[in-house]
Amino acid sequence: MRELSSRRRFLRKVAFAGGGALLGTVGLNQISPRIWREPLEFEPNRSYWARSQPPQNPPLTEDIAVDVAVLGGGFTGLSAAYYIRSISPHKRVVVLEAKGCGNGASGRNGAMVLTMTADRYMHFSSAPAIDKKIYDLTAGNIRELSKLSFATGIDCELEANGALQVLVTSEDVRAAKAYVQEARSLGMPVEFWDKQRLVSAIGTEVYAGAFFDPNGGHIHPMKLVHVFKAAAENAGAEIYENTTVASIEEGREHLLHTTSGCTIRAKSLVLATNAFTSRLGFFRNSFVAVHEFVAVTQPFSERQLAEIGWHKRVPFNDSRTEVFYLGLTQDNRIHIGGGSPSYFFNSGVGEVSDAASHFSQLQRELVRIYPKMSGVSFELGWDGVVDWSIDESPSVGCTGKHKNIFYGLGYSGHGVNLTSIFGRIIADLEAGREEPWKQYPFLNASLEYVPNEPFRWLGAQSGLAWYRLTEP
Ligand SMILES: Cc1cc2nc3c(=O)[nH]c(=O)nc-3n(C[C@H](O)[C@H](O)[C@H](O)COP(=O)(O)OP(=O)(O)OC[C@H]3O[C@@H](n4cnc5c(N)ncnc54)[C@H](O)[C@@H]3O)c2cc1C
C-alpha cells in the first residue's frame, strides 16, 4: 500500500540521486562549500500577509554584550526570546533580524495551523504512544497561541475550526481510515469523512474523502508574528531589525559580526534562521532550502462562497506528494499554495525566474477544485523558502563545542504551530532544563545527511522531476 503522504512529503524518496555519484566524488563533496559559498541575501516579503507586518524597530548601531543573542525574527526566534525572558527575566536577550520580523517563512506561509510534526502527520512511527504525546503537545500549543493573542491584544485571526487533509486516491482513503482507527483507539479525536460529508463542508467534488483533525485551524501568520514580537518585547527582549549577522566566531562567549560593522558578544546563541541557517555555515548538510509558491484571490462575498459550497471555514491540503493547500482569509479571499516547488543551485536566492509558471499551475488547480472559479484571477502571488529535511523530521536542541548554541529547524513546511513549541524548548534548554523534553524524538535529533553541491542540486532536480511524472 502506498504510504499516506504527510502534508508535504516530497523529498523522502529523492534520497539524493547524487548519492551514487557522490561515492565516486567524495573529494568534490567535501571541498564544494568552499567553492560555492551560499549567498547571504534575503528577498523582501511580497506576500498578502506582509501588508500586516508590524512597524519595524531600528537596527543595531553599536557593539553590545548580551546573555542571549537570537538570530532570526520569525516564529522560532521571537517565541524563543519570549520564553527565555519569561524564564530568566534577568537575562539580556536580543533578537537580530536581517529584514523585518516575519520576512522569512513565518510571514509568507499557507496559514494552516496543524498538529503533529511533518514526519508524523497521519503516520504512526514505531512508538505510537509518543506520537499521541506529540499530538497532545501540538494540540495544546494551538490553545496557547490563542491565549497569547488575547494577552497581547493582537488578534491573529486564529480560527481553530479544524483542518482537513483531502484524499486523492482510493489507496489514500484506505490508509486514512486505518490511521483514524488507530488514532482514535489512542484517544486522538480525529475523523474520517466520506466524500458526501466533505462536499457539504467545502463544496469541491474532486476528492475521494478526507481526514479531519478538529484541533487544527487557520491563522493570519503575520499577525501571529506580531503577537510573538509584542510578547517578546513585553517580556523585556530587545529586537533589532534590518540587522544582518554576517559571521559568527564560536566560543564560550560568541562573537557575532553584523554586515554594518557591529559586534555582539553573547553567552548563548539561538539559531532561529530556518532555511537560511546554512548560509551562516551551520547545519549545511541537514536540510534543503526549497521555494514554494502561494497566491491569493480578491475577497468573495458570503453569497459567492456559499455558491461554491465552502460552508465550513477550515483550511485543507491534499494527499499528494507535491501538495496543494488552500484556506480562507478573514475577508473571504481564497489562498492556494504548493504544487511543484523549485530548488536553486547552492540554495540561491534572487528573483524567482519561473514564478509565472508556478502561479499558472496554482490557477489551474484552483479551477480544477472549484470550476466556478474559472475566470477568477489572483490579486497577488509570492514565494517563500522551506527548510526541508530528508525524512521531514524536525530537530530542536543544543550544539557547539561549549554547548551554548541552541537551534530549531527542519520543520519541512509544517512549522506554524511547531515553531513556538521549539521556542519553548530552546528556552528550557538554555536554562538547563532538558529533562521534560527528553521523551520527544525531535530533541537533538540528527537529521539525515544532505550532500553538498552539485549533488544536492542534481538530487533535488531529479527527485522533483520524478514526482512531476508520477503524481496522481
Ligand atoms: C510558502 C510556505 C508555505 C508554508 N505553509 C505552511 C503551513 O500552511 N502550515 C505550516 O505549519 N507551516 C507552513 N510553512 C512552514 C512555516 O512557515 C515555517 O516552518 C516557519 O514559519 C518557520 O519559522 P522560523 O521562525 O523558524 O523561520 P523564518 O520565519 O524563516 O525566520 C527566519 C528569520 O531569520 C532571518 N535571518 C536569517 N539569516 C539571518 C542572519 N544572518 N541575520 C539576521 N537574520 C537572519 C530571516 O530574515 C528570517 O526572518 C510554510 C512555509 C512556506 C515558505
Side-chain angles (χ1 to χ4, degrees), residues 13-80:
K13 290 194 191 110
V14 170
F16 286 80
L22 184 61
L23 292 173
T25 43
V26 171
L28 178 56
N29 185 52
Q30 276 168 358
I31 61 168
S32 93
R34 275 173 274 153
I35 304 173
W36 293 293
R37 286 191 173 276
E38 289 187 29
L40 200 63
E41 290 169 29
F42 306 94
E43 293 171 324
N45 181 349
R46 299 194 182 87
S47 73
Y48 169 71
W49 316 119
R51 294 175 185 175
S52 308
Q53 198 161 23
Q56 288 182 19
N57 295 3
L60 183 71
T61 51
E62 58 181 6
D63 295 347
I64 51 173
V66 301
D67 294 295
V68 186
V70 179
L71 263 63
F75 300 142
T76 304
L78 295 171
S79 62

Side-chain angles (χ1 to χ4, degrees), residues 7 42 72 74-76 97-98 105-106 109-110 112 245 272 274 413-416:
R7 185 156 177 274
F42 306 94
F75 300 142
T76 304
E97 164 53 48
S106 300
N109 57 58
M112 291 187 80
V245 172
N274 196 40
H414 198 111
V416 169

Side-chain angles (χ1 to χ4, degrees), residues 35-200:
I35 304 173
W36 293 293
R37 286 191 173 276
E38 289 187 29
L40 200 63
E41 290 169 29
F42 306 94
E43 293 171 324
N45 181 349
R46 299 194 182 87
S47 73
Y48 169 71
W49 316 119
R51 294 175 185 175
S52 308
Q53 198 161 23
Q56 288 182 19
N57 295 3
L60 183 71
T61 51
E62 58 181 6
D63 295 347
I64 51 173
V66 301
D67 294 295
V68 186
V70 179
L71 263 63
F75 300 142
T76 304
L78 295 171
S79 62
Y82 163 64
Y83 287 115
I84 292 171
R85 278 287 306 187
S86 305
I87 293 176
S88 314
H90 57 284
K91 287 188 180 166
R92 184 174 182 192
V93 179
V94 294
V95 178
L96 307 162
E97 164 53 48
K99 294 275 199 185
C101 288
N103 194 67
S106 300
R108 306 178 184 220
N109 57 58
M112 291 187 80
V113 189
L114 299 165
T115 58
M116 303 301 280
T117 55
D119 58 327
R120 286 163 196 246
Y121 193 64
M122 297 186 68
H123 166 72
F124 281 111
S125 70
S126 54
I130 295 292
D131 297 342
K132 167 69 165 57
K133 284 191 178 210
I134 297 174
Y135 183 83
D136 291 342
L137 176 72
T138 48
N141 196 61
I142 297 172
R143 293 188 287 276
E144 288 303 312
L145 298 182
S146 173
K147 281 188 206 157
L148 204 57
S149 174
F150 184 75
T152 55
I154 297 160
D155 179 8
C156 59
E157 299 175 10
L158 174 61
E159 294 185 75
N161 303 328
L164 286 165
Q165 174 152 309
V166 290
L167 305 164
V168 175
T169 67
S170 50
E171 270 182 46
D172 291 344
V173 168
R174 273 197 298 277
K177 281 183 175 166
Y179 176 83
V180 166
Q181 198 178 12
E182 187 170 354
R184 290 184 72 85
S185 74
L186 285 164
M188 292 157 64
V190 297
E191 295 169 14
F192 173 78
W193 284 9
D194 63 15
K195 179 165 182 157
Q196 203 186 355
R197 185 157 181 204
L198 181 64
V199 173
S200 65

